[in-house]
Amino acid sequence: MPIVWCEHALLPAGIAGAVALGIAEGRFTSVTPGVAPPAGAAVRRGLTIPGAANAHSHAFHRALRSRSQRERGTFWTWRDQMYALAARLDPDRYRRFATAVFGEMVLAGYTTVGEFHYVHHRPGGAPYADPNEMGDAIVAAAMAAGIRLTLLDTAYLHGGLGSDGHAPLGGHQRRFSDGSIDAWAERAGARTAPAGVRLGAAIHSVRALDPDAIGVVAAVAADAGWPLHAHVSEQPAENEQCLAAHGRTPTEVLRDAGALGPTFTAVHATHLTGGDVEALGDAGAAVCICPTTERDLADGVGPTRRLADADIRLCIGSDSHAVIDPFAEALAIELDQRLITCERGVHTTSELLSTLGAGHGALGWDDVGEIAVGHRADLVTLRLGSVRMAGVGADTLAEAVVYAAGAADVTDVMIDGVDVVTASRHRSVDVATELADCIAELTESTGATA
Ligand SMILES: [Zn+2]
């Protein structure tokens, strides 16, 4: 039986030293602190923590990093650049590019990703010969990168929401739509997933789906036992449009359509009313905060303290991939609150650490996220001798995970008992080279994104 010995490890009860971990069939079979390295054990110096979960990703957005920063712009001008990029994807390109993006995630310490997938069809909207080919490209990419995947098949039917109802799809949006909610249900329902991959459903937003369609997606997810995610109140304009069209907030529309519940995750949840927080709390829902994207897109700062006080599980996502670094996301939750409240310690270190792993559950993986017997064997090791981590002190290692560590400190990553990153290198993907090649191909001659 393979044994990994960790110099320091973050266990459910806190930091422990000299921890021997037995692993069989991808799961922890023993956790024994305070022992010398057993003969033949794989020794991990530094601090080893459970794998982080990236609960919200659109892999192709990675190509916009730095390219969307040339001009001032708004969320809506950024969206136009993103649409132009989406128009250039095909299944082969997307498989290769997503493999590199998922590789970057693993190098940063993410062991599970939830891909909020909406680029379903050919440009113009005609399906591929296999209508699930684009989603299958995402599945193949995750397997090649060694990351655990929940593919959130996203329903997207309308181009936007005005006071007089939904707008037709714009040209670049046509490939996101199945044409009707019944066609979405038929295509998504026909999908199968290999071992190591879970399926889920997503409501793109109240901008892209009407209340009846939201109800259909919620029913399909409930019948299949799938997690259900939705973009919720990311921008004030979305709330204004929704109130004008429906007389209710986006959260209220989702609640009334039957979408809220313990398997529901609201993504962003930036601009919520007190009633919205109460509705999400009453439902036992989770909220996925994407702070580095929310900063990048000038979305605002969500009410994370009020959400936590309502017993809503907070998880993190890198969303647009302006940054891929779970430690930066967890830290940003706290630091953004400090800026708007003028107080320190709005969230405890323990709460912030829990945001790193809460996304596993929000993506349907309830047996991931703790170094504990029976859990899937995911391990992320951080070097303590880096310039960022040097001198943090043995009694503040937990705080150092949030307040000192960064993605560049990750040296080794194990997922389901398999070593995927060793000595800060992905074992099967040349991530930087692949990212550069794929992005160069995707952005050449695209005008706005080039
Ligand atoms: Zn998103």
Side-chain angles (χ1 to χ4, degrees), residues 7 62 114 120 138 311 404 443:
E7 185 182 11
R62 170 65 178 81
H120 299 303
I138 292 290
D311 291 329
T443 56

Coordinates of all heavy atoms in Angstrom, one line a residue, residues 7 62 114 120 138 311 404 443:
E7 N 5.7 16.4 6.0 CA 6.3 17.1 7.1 C 5.3 17.9 8.0 O 5.3 17.8 9.2 CB 7.3 18.1 6.5 CG 8.2 18.8 7.5 CD 9.1 19.8 6.9 OE1 9.0 20.1 5.7 OE2 10.0 20.3 7.6
R62 N -9.7 32.1 -20.6 CA -8.3 32.2 -20.2 C -7.5 33.0 -21.3 O -6.5 33.7 -21.0 CB -7.7 30.8 -20.0 CG -6.2 30.7 -19.9 CD -5.6 31.4 -18.7 NE -4.2 31.3 -18.5 CZ -3.3 32.0 -19.2 NH1 -3.7 33.0 -20.1 NH2 -2.0 31.8 -19.0
G114 N -15.4 22.8 -11.9 CA -16.7 22.8 -12.4 C -16.7 23.6 -13.7 O -16.5 24.8 -13.6
H120 N -22.0 25.1 -27.1 CA -22.4 23.8 -27.4 C -22.3 23.4 -28.9 O -22.0 22.3 -29.3 CB -23.9 23.6 -27.0 CG -24.2 23.8 -25.6 ND1 -23.5 23.0 -24.6 CD2 -25.0 24.6 -24.9 CE1 -24.0 23.4 -23.4 NE2 -24.9 24.3 -23.6
I138 N -14.4 18.9 -23.6 CA -14.0 19.4 -22.2 C -13.7 18.2 -21.3 O -12.8 18.2 -20.5 CB -15.2 20.2 -21.6 CG1 -15.4 21.5 -22.3 CG2 -15.0 20.4 -20.1 CD1 -14.3 22.5 -22.1
D311 N -25.5 30.8 7.1 CA -25.1 29.4 7.0 C -25.1 28.9 5.5 O -25.3 27.8 5.2 CB -26.1 28.4 7.8 CG -25.9 28.6 9.3 OD1 -24.8 28.9 9.7 OD2 -26.9 28.4 10.0
A404 N -0.2 34.1 3.0 CA 1.2 34.1 2.4 C 1.4 33.3 1.1 O 2.1 33.7 0.2 CB 2.2 33.6 3.5
T443 N -6.3 33.7 -31.1 CA -6.5 35.1 -31.1 C -6.0 35.8 -32.4 O -6.2 37.0 -32.6 CB -5.8 35.8 -29.9 OG1 -4.4 35.4 -29.9 CG2 -6.4 35.4 -28.6

